Amino acid sequence: MFRKVVITVVLCLFVAASVSAQQRGTPAEAKKMVEDAIAYIKASGKDKAFAEISNPKGKFVDRDLYVYVCDMNGTSLARGDDPSSVGKNNINSKDPDGKFFIKERIEMAKTQKSGWQDYKFRDPISKKVMPKTFYFEKYEDFIVGCGAYEPEK
């Protein structure tokens, strides 16, 4: 009987871990989402694209992945997980370790067309602050990005 209980518990944990992994986007999927968002901006124009990017049920939100767009001053132009933040300046946003991640991103975008950035941020699935790797591309005079969270251990 004890053995059956242990096997059942192990199987339940395996299934839970598998479901959790399926809920997570990958860095490769985040990069593809940025590329798709830029293609959509080019094809549809900024106004229509930013509205779609800011739609929580739109094509630029998938599980814990969402596109974020800001200008070179740190003002949010579009954000899939929190459309109410559009128009707010986030230049002084810090992660729990004190990292000014928006400032850092802007500085990176001044010298490179694209890149990866690591910081900590609140995960929309677990609601916990977790390590995040964020892919961005500078397009025209703004930054388009999407990040993937490291799975919980």
Side-chain angles (χ1 to χ4, degrees):
M1 176 70 177
F2 178 74
R3 186 174 178 186
K4 286 183 181 180
V5 171
V6 170
I7 290 171
T8 302
V9 169
V10 169
L11 286 174
C12 287
L13 290 172
F14 177 76
V15 169
S18 176
V19 169
S20 178
Q22 291 172 357
Q23 292 175 340
R24 298 235 167 259
T26 66
E29 291 172 320
K31 183 178 182 193
K32 174 84 168 88
M33 194 175 280
V34 169
E35 293 165 349
D36 291 349
I38 291 173
Y40 192 77
I41 293 165
K42 289 177 181 178
S44 303
K46 285 189 241 182
D47 291 341
K48 182 177 180 183
F50 290 176
E52 180 62 24
I53 290 168
S54 295
N55 177 359
K57 300 203 183 303
K59 62 174 81 183
F60 298 106
V61 177
D62 178 19
R63 297 162 293 166
D64 60 343
L65 300 175
Y66 56 89
V67 172
Y68 172 76
V69 183
C70 71
D71 67 17
M72 295 300 287
N73 296 311
T75 299
S76 176
L77 303 174
R79 185 170 169 174
D81 75 319
D82 183 11
S84 67
S85 72
V86 173
K88 294 180 181 172
N89 188 284
N90 300 305
I91 193 77
N92 291 315
S93 293
K94 291 190 274 186
D95 80 354
D97 296 332
K99 183 183 215 177
F100 287 93
F101 60 95
I102 300 292
K103 281 183 184 178
E104 179 184 76
R105 186 176 305 155
I106 291 167
E107 290 306 310
M108 291 171 74
K110 287 179 181 178
T111 61
Q112 58 195 67
K113 181 176 171 22
S114 65
W116 290 93
Q117 177 192 32
D118 294 324
Y119 59 100
K120 293 180 181 168
F121 202 74
R122 187 184 62 81
D123 170 37
I125 292 176
S126 71
K127 307 299 183 208
K128 296 177 186 174
V129 174
M130 297 176 58
K132 182 174 187 177
T133 188
F134 186 88
Y135 176 76
F136 72 88
E137 290 187 21
K138 183 176 180 203
Y139 177 71
E140 293 183 355
D141 58 347
F142 49 91
I143 301 167
V144 180
C146 181
Y149 293 87
E150 288 184 19
E152 290 185 89
K153 297 174 181 154

